[in-house]
């Protein structure tokens, strides 16, 4: 069974940075899957933020393009989201998941951007 564990969130001020991590376990040939990052604000739908493909191409939502960067370490079954120039509207719970076939969501990691 695939398990997703996100970590690295926290409370930061506008303009600061955070690096989120996603550990994917129980997925054979992890390197062949695109992995996405999503975020959700309470009371709103979960939205897609970014993804990294199996050939290391990153795709981004317009709201984070140029500020966020996604990367992966296939040897460790890890995907990362480097978030720079954070803004208050980036505040959300962040999740990762397999793009081609969503698995049960992890617990997410809270990111709060506030002065």
């Amino acid at each position: 069974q695939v398990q997703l564990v996100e970590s690295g969130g926290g409370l930061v001020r506008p303009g600061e940075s955070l690096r989120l991590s996603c550990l994917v376990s129980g997925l054979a040939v992890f390197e062949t899957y695109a992995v996405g990052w999503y975020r959700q604000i309470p009371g709103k739908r979960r939205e897609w933020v970014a993804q990294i493909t199996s050939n290391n191409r990153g795709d981004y939502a317009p709201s984070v393009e140029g500020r966020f960067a996604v990367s992966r370490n296939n040897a460790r079954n890890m995907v990362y989201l480097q978030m720079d120039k954070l803004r208050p509207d980036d505040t959300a719970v962040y999740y990762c998941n397999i793009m081609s076939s969503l698995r049960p969501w992890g617990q997410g990691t809270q990111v709060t951007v506030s002065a």
Side-chain angles (χ1 to χ4, degrees), residues 30-85:
F30 165 78
E31 62 274 15
T32 67
Y33 289 89
V35 179
W37 283 96
Y38 300 78
R39 64 188 182 188
Q40 188 171 27
I41 301 168
K44 294 194 175 182
R45 296 181 64 178
R46 190 172 284 145
E47 66 170 353
W48 174 79
V49 174
Q51 71 171 16
I52 185 163
T53 66
S54 58
N55 61 355
N56 282 316
R57 187 191 77 238
D59 299 309
Y60 304 93
S63 60
V64 307
E65 180 84 51
R67 300 187 299 121
F68 290 11
V70 61
S71 61
R72 66 192 298 162
N73 183 328
N74 290 329
R76 298 187 175 184
N77 281 23
M78 296 287 294
V79 174
Y80 306 98
L81 185 67
Q82 177 67 38
M83 305 188 297
D84 297 325
K85 301 177 183 178

Side-chain angles (χ1 to χ4, degrees), residues 79-98:
V79 174
Y80 306 98
L81 185 67
Q82 177 67 38
M83 305 188 297
D84 297 325
K85 301 177 183 178
L86 283 161
R87 309 184 310 212
D89 60 358
D90 294 317
T91 296
V93 179
Y94 284 72
Y95 303 86
C96 60
N97 214 314
I98 309 304

Side-chain angles (χ1 to χ4, degrees), residues 96-111:
C96 60
N97 214 314
I98 309 304
M99 292 300 300
S100 59
S101 176
L102 292 179
R103 307 306 169 95
W105 296 93
Q107 83 287 352
T109 186
Q110 175 71 49
V111 172

Side-chain angles (χ1 to χ4, degrees), residues 2-5 22-27 30 35 77-78 96 98:
V2 176
Q3 290 189 320
L4 305 160
V5 179
C22 166
L23 173 63
V24 182
S25 60
L27 184 65
F30 165 78
V35 179
N77 281 23
M78 296 287 294
C96 60
I98 309 304

